[in-house]
CSV table of all heavy atoms in Angstrom, one decimal:
chain,number,residue,atom,x,y,z
A,351,ASN,N,-10.2,-11.9,-0.5
A,351,ASN,CA,-11.0,-10.8,0.0
A,351,ASN,C,-10.3,-9.5,0.1
A,351,ASN,O,-10.9,-8.5,0.0
A,351,ASN,CB,-11.7,-11.2,1.3
A,351,ASN,CG,-12.3,-12.6,1.4
A,351,ASN,OD1,-11.7,-13.5,1.9
A,351,ASN,ND2,-13.5,-12.7,0.8
A,352,THR,N,-9.0,-9.6,0.4
A,352,THR,CA,-8.2,-8.4,0.6
A,352,THR,C,-6.9,-8.4,-0.2
A,352,THR,O,-6.3,-9.4,-0.3
A,352,THR,CB,-7.8,-8.3,2.1
A,352,THR,OG1,-9.0,-8.3,2.9
A,352,THR,CG2,-7.1,-6.9,2.4
A,353,LEU,N,-6.6,-7.3,-0.8
A,353,LEU,CA,-5.5,-7.2,-1.7
A,353,LEU,C,-4.6,-6.1,-1.1
A,353,LEU,O,-5.0,-4.9,-1.0
A,353,LEU,CB,-5.9,-6.9,-3.1
A,353,LEU,CG,-4.8,-6.6,-4.1
A,353,LEU,CD1,-3.8,-7.7,-4.2
A,353,LEU,CD2,-5.4,-6.3,-5.5
A,354,LEU,N,-3.3,-6.4,-0.8
A,354,LEU,CA,-2.4,-5.5,-0.3
A,354,LEU,C,-1.4,-5.1,-1.4
A,354,LEU,O,-0.8,-6.0,-2.0
A,354,LEU,CB,-1.6,-6.0,0.9
A,354,LEU,CG,-2.2,-5.9,2.3
A,354,LEU,CD1,-3.6,-6.5,2.4
A,354,LEU,CD2,-1.3,-6.6,3.4
A,355,LEU,N,-1.2,-3.8,-1.6
A,355,LEU,CA,-0.3,-3.4,-2.7
A,355,LEU,C,0.7,-2.3,-2.2
A,355,LEU,O,0.3,-1.4,-1.5
A,355,LEU,CB,-1.1,-2.8,-3.9
A,355,LEU,CG,-2.1,-3.7,-4.5
A,355,LEU,CD1,-3.5,-3.2,-4.1
A,355,LEU,CD2,-2.0,-3.7,-6.0
A,356,ASP,N,2.0,-2.5,-2.5
A,356,ASP,CA,2.9,-1.4,-2.2
A,356,ASP,C,2.6,-0.2,-3.1
A,356,ASP,O,2.2,-0.4,-4.2
A,356,ASP,CB,4.3,-1.9,-2.5
A,356,ASP,CG,4.9,-2.7,-1.4
A,356,ASP,OD1,4.5,-2.4,-0.2
A,356,ASP,OD2,5.7,-3.6,-1.6
A,357,LYS,N,2.8,1.0,-2.5
A,357,LYS,CA,2.5,2.2,-3.3
A,357,LYS,C,3.5,2.3,-4.4
A,357,LYS,O,3.1,2.4,-5.6
A,357,LYS,CB,2.6,3.4,-2.4
A,357,LYS,CG,2.2,4.7,-3.1
A,357,LYS,CD,2.8,5.9,-2.3
A,357,LYS,CE,4.3,6.0,-2.5
A,357,LYS,NZ,4.9,7.2,-1.9
A,358,THR,N,4.8,2.4,-4.1
A,358,THR,CA,5.8,2.7,-5.1
A,358,THR,C,6.0,1.5,-6.1
A,358,THR,O,6.3,0.4,-5.7
A,358,THR,CB,7.2,3.0,-4.4
A,358,THR,OG1,7.0,4.0,-3.4
A,358,THR,CG2,8.2,3.4,-5.4
A,359,GLY,N,5.8,1.9,-7.4
A,359,GLY,CA,6.0,0.9,-8.4
A,359,GLY,C,4.7,0.1,-8.7
A,359,GLY,O,4.7,-0.6,-9.7
A,360,THR,N,3.8,0.2,-7.8
A,360,THR,CA,2.5,-0.6,-8.0
A,360,THR,C,1.4,0.4,-8.3
A,360,THR,O,0.8,0.4,-9.4
A,360,THR,CB,2.1,-1.3,-6.8
A,360,THR,OG1,3.2,-2.2,-6.4
A,360,THR,CG2,0.9,-2.1,-7.0
A,361,ILE,N,1.2,1.3,-7.4
A,361,ILE,CA,0.1,2.4,-7.6
A,361,ILE,C,0.7,3.6,-8.3
A,361,ILE,O,0.1,4.2,-9.2
A,361,ILE,CB,-0.5,2.7,-6.3
A,361,ILE,CG1,-1.2,1.5,-5.7
A,361,ILE,CG2,-1.4,3.9,-6.4
A,361,ILE,CD1,-1.7,1.7,-4.3
A,362,THR,N,2.0,3.9,-8.0
A,362,THR,CA,2.7,5.0,-8.6
A,362,THR,C,3.7,4.5,-9.6
A,362,THR,O,4.0,3.3,-9.6
A,362,THR,CB,3.4,5.9,-7.6
A,362,THR,OG1,4.3,5.1,-6.9
A,362,THR,CG2,2.4,6.5,-6.6
A,363,LEU,N,4.2,5.3,-10.5
A,363,LEU,CA,5.1,4.9,-11.5
A,363,LEU,C,6.4,4.3,-11.0
A,363,LEU,O,7.0,3.5,-11.7
A,363,LEU,CB,5.4,6.0,-12.5
A,363,LEU,CG,4.3,6.4,-13.4
A,363,LEU,CD1,4.7,7.6,-14.3
A,363,LEU,CD2,3.9,5.3,-14.3
A,364,GLY,N,6.8,4.7,-9.8
A,364,GLY,CA,8.0,4.1,-9.3
A,364,GLY,C,8.7,5.2,-8.4
A,364,GLY,O,8.2,5.6,-7.4
A,365,ASN,N,9.9,5.5,-8.8
A,365,ASN,CA,10.7,6.4,-8.0
A,365,ASN,C,10.1,7.8,-8.0
A,365,ASN,O,9.7,8.4,-9.1
A,365,ASN,CB,12.1,6.5,-8.6
A,365,ASN,CG,12.8,5.1,-8.6
A,365,ASN,OD1,12.7,4.4,-7.6
A,365,ASN,ND2,13.5,4.8,-9.6
A,366,ARG,N,10.1,8.5,-6.8
A,366,ARG,CA,9.7,9.8,-6.7
A,366,ARG,C,10.8,10.8,-7.3
A,366,ARG,O,11.9,10.5,-7.3
A,366,ARG,CB,9.5,10.2,-5.3
A,366,ARG,CG,8.3,9.4,-4.6
A,366,ARG,CD,8.3,9.5,-3.1
A,366,ARG,NE,9.5,8.9,-2.6
A,366,ARG,CZ,9.8,8.7,-1.3
A,366,ARG,NH1,8.9,9.2,-0.4
A,366,ARG,NH2,10.8,8.1,-0.9
A,367,GLU,N,10.3,11.9,-7.9
A,367,GLU,CA,11.2,12.8,-8.5
A,367,GLU,C,11.0,14.2,-7.9
A,367,GLU,O,9.9,14.6,-7.6
A,367,GLU,CB,11.0,12.9,-10.0
A,367,GLU,CG,11.3,11.6,-10.8
A,367,GLU,CD,11.1,11.7,-12.3
A,367,GLU,OE1,10.7,12.8,-12.7
A,367,GLU,OE2,11.4,10.8,-13.0
A,368,ALA,N,12.2,14.9,-7.8
A,368,ALA,CA,12.1,16.3,-7.3
A,368,ALA,C,11.5,17.2,-8.4
A,368,ALA,O,11.9,17.1,-9.6
A,368,ALA,CB,13.5,16.8,-7.0
A,369,VAL,N,10.5,18.0,-8.0
A,369,VAL,CA,9.8,18.9,-8.9
A,369,VAL,C,10.0,20.3,-8.6
A,369,VAL,O,9.7,21.2,-9.4
A,369,VAL,CB,8.3,18.5,-9.0
A,369,VAL,CG1,8.2,17.1,-9.6
A,369,VAL,CG2,7.6,18.6,-7.7
A,370,ALA,N,10.4,20.7,-7.3
A,370,ALA,CA,10.5,22.1,-6.9
A,370,ALA,C,11.3,22.2,-5.7
A,370,ALA,O,11.4,21.3,-4.8
A,370,ALA,CB,9.1,22.7,-6.7
A,371,PHE,N,12.0,23.4,-5.6
A,371,PHE,CA,12.6,23.8,-4.4
A,371,PHE,C,11.8,24.9,-3.7
A,371,PHE,O,11.5,25.9,-4.4
A,371,PHE,CB,14.0,24.4,-4.7
A,371,PHE,CG,15.0,23.4,-5.3
A,371,PHE,CD1,15.4,23.4,-6.6
A,371,PHE,CD2,15.4,22.3,-4.5
A,371,PHE,CE1,16.2,22.5,-7.2
A,371,PHE,CE2,16.3,21.3,-5.1
A,371,PHE,CZ,16.7,21.4,-6.4
A,372,VAL,N,11.4,24.8,-2.5
A,372,VAL,CA,10.5,25.8,-1.8
A,372,VAL,C,11.3,26.4,-0.7
A,372,VAL,O,11.5,25.8,0.4
A,372,VAL,CB,9.3,25.1,-1.3
A,372,VAL,CG1,8.3,26.1,-0.6
A,372,VAL,CG2,8.5,24.3,-2.4
A,373,PRO,N,11.9,27.6,-0.9
A,373,PRO,CA,12.7,28.2,0.2
A,373,PRO,C,11.9,28.8,1.3
A,373,PRO,O,10.7,29.2,1.1
A,373,PRO,CB,13.5,29.3,-0.6
A,373,PRO,CG,12.6,29.7,-1.7
A,373,PRO,CD,11.8,28.4,-2.1
A,374,LEU,N,12.4,28.8,2.5
A,374,LEU,CA,11.7,29.5,3.6
A,374,LEU,C,11.9,31.0,3.4
A,374,LEU,O,12.8,31.5,2.7
A,374,LEU,CB,12.3,29.1,5.0
A,374,LEU,CG,12.1,27.6,5.4
A,374,LEU,CD1,12.7,27.4,6.7
A,374,LEU,CD2,10.6,27.3,5.3
A,375,PRO,N,11.1,31.9,4.1
A,375,PRO,CA,11.2,33.3,4.0
A,375,PRO,C,12.6,33.8,4.3
A,375,PRO,O,13.2,33.3,5.3
A,375,PRO,CB,10.2,33.8,5.0
A,375,PRO,CG,9.2,32.7,5.1
A,375,PRO,CD,9.9,31.5,4.9
A,376,GLY,N,13.1,34.7,3.4
A,376,GLY,CA,14.5,35.2,3.6
A,376,GLY,C,15.6,34.4,3.0
A,376,GLY,O,16.8,34.8,3.1
A,377,ILE,N,15.2,33.3,2.4
A,377,ILE,CA,16.2,32.4,1.7
A,377,ILE,C,16.0,32.5,0.2
A,377,ILE,O,14.9,32.4,-0.3
A,377,ILE,CB,16.1,30.9,2.2
A,377,ILE,CG1,16.2,30.8,3.7
A,377,ILE,CG2,17.1,30.0,1.5
A,377,ILE,CD1,17.6,31.3,4.3
A,378,ASP,N,17.1,32.7,-0.5
A,378,ASP,CA,17.1,32.7,-1.9
A,378,ASP,C,16.9,31.3,-2.5
A,378,ASP,O,17.6,30.4,-2.0
A,378,ASP,CB,18.4,33.4,-2.5
A,378,ASP,CG,18.3,33.5,-4.0
A,378,ASP,OD1,17.5,34.2,-4.5
A,378,ASP,OD2,19.1,32.8,-4.6
A,379,GLU,N,16.1,31.2,-3.5
A,379,GLU,CA,15.8,29.8,-4.1
A,379,GLU,C,17.1,29.2,-4.7
A,379,GLU,O,17.3,28.0,-4.6
A,379,GLU,CB,14.7,29.9,-5.1
A,379,GLU,CG,14.2,28.6,-5.7
A,379,GLU,CD,13.0,28.7,-6.6
A,379,GLU,OE1,12.3,29.7,-6.5
A,379,GLU,OE2,12.8,27.7,-7.3
A,380,LEU,N,17.9,30.1,-5.3
A,380,LEU,CA,19.1,29.6,-5.9
A,380,LEU,C,20.1,29.0,-4.8
A,380,LEU,O,20.7,28.0,-5.0
A,380,LEU,CB,19.8,30.7,-6.7
A,380,LEU,CG,21.2,30.3,-7.3
A,380,LEU,CD1,21.0,29.2,-8.3
A,380,LEU,CD2,21.8,31.6,-8.0
A,381,GLN,N,20.1,29.7,-3.7
A,381,GLN,CA,20.9,29.2,-2.6
A,381,GLN,C,20.4,27.9,-2.1
A,381,GLN,O,21.2,27.0,-1.8
A,381,GLN,CB,20.9,30.3,-1.4
A,381,GLN,CG,21.7,29.8,-0.2
A,381,GLN,CD,21.4,30.7,1.0
A,381,GLN,OE1,20.7,31.7,0.9
A,381,GLN,NE2,22.0,30.4,2.2
A,382,LEU,N,19.1,27.7,-2.0
A,382,LEU,CA,18.5,26.5,-1.5
A,382,LEU,C,18.8,25.4,-2.5
A,382,LEU,O,19.2,24.2,-2.1
A,382,LEU,CB,17.0,26.6,-1.4
A,382,LEU,CG,16.2,25.3,-1.1
A,382,LEU,CD1,16.6,24.7,0.2
A,382,LEU,CD2,14.7,25.6,-1.1
A,383,ALA,N,18.7,25.7,-3.8
A,383,ALA,CA,19.0,24.7,-4.9
A,383,ALA,C,20.5,24.2,-4.8
A,383,ALA,O,20.8,23.0,-4.9
A,383,ALA,CB,18.7,25.2,-6.2
A,384,ASP,N,21.4,25.2,-4.6
A,384,ASP,CA,22.8,24.9,-4.5
A,384,ASP,C,23.1,24.0,-3.3
A,384,ASP,O,23.9,23.0,-3.4
A,384,ASP,CB,23.6,26.2,-4.5
A,384,ASP,CG,25.1,25.9,-4.6
A,384,ASP,OD1,25.5,24.9,-5.2
A,384,ASP,OD2,25.9,26.7,-4.1
A,385,THR,N,22.5,24.3,-2.2
A,385,THR,CA,22.7,23.6,-1.0
A,385,THR,C,22.1,22.2,-1.1
A,385,THR,O,22.7,21.2,-0.6
A,385,THR,CB,22.1,24.3,0.2
A,385,THR,OG1,22.6,25.7,0.3
A,385,THR,CG2,22.5,23.6,1.5
A,386,ALA,N,20.9,22.1,-1.7
A,386,ALA,CA,20.3,20.8,-1.8
A,386,ALA,C,21.1,19.9,-2.7
A,386,ALA,O,21.2,18.7,-2.5
A,386,ALA,CB,18.9,21.0,-2.4
A,387,GLN,N,21.7,20.5,-3.8
A,387,GLN,CA,22.5,19.7,-4.7
A,387,GLN,C,23.7,19.1,-4.0
A,387,GLN,O,24.0,17.9,-4.1
A,387,GLN,CB,22.9,20.5,-5.9
A,387,GLN,CG,23.7,19.7,-6.9
A,387,GLN,CD,24.7,20.6,-7.7
A,387,GLN,OE1,25.4,21.4,-7.2
A,387,GLN,NE2,24.7,20.4,-9.0
A,388,LEU,N,24.4,20.0,-3.2
A,388,LEU,CA,25.6,19.5,-2.5
A,388,LEU,C,25.3,18.4,-1.5
A,388,LEU,O,26.0,17.4,-1.4
A,388,LEU,CB,26.2,20.7,-1.7
A,388,LEU,CG,27.0,21.7,-2.6
A,388,LEU,CD1,27.4,22.9,-1.7
A,388,LEU,CD2,28.3,21.1,-3.2
């Protein structure tokens, strides 16, 4: 009667991927990307 499914790999393709860097006001996007990478 009831079917339980994990989201990741079942409903979605699998691993989540980074698609964007969203800086807060006053922060340069390149600075955010560099810090996120480190």
Side-chain angles (χ1 to χ4, degrees):
N351 310 102
T352 305
L353 174 58
L354 275 56
L355 305 104
D356 278 328
K357 183 201 72 174
T358 304
T360 305
I361 295 173
T362 61
L363 286 177
N365 302 317
R366 295 165 294 185
E367 295 185 355
V369 295
F371 298 110
V372 184
L374 293 183
I377 303 297
D378 182 66
E379 187 173 340
L380 179 60
Q381 177 190 0
L382 172 62
D384 189 27
T385 307
Q387 183 206 45
L388 285 173

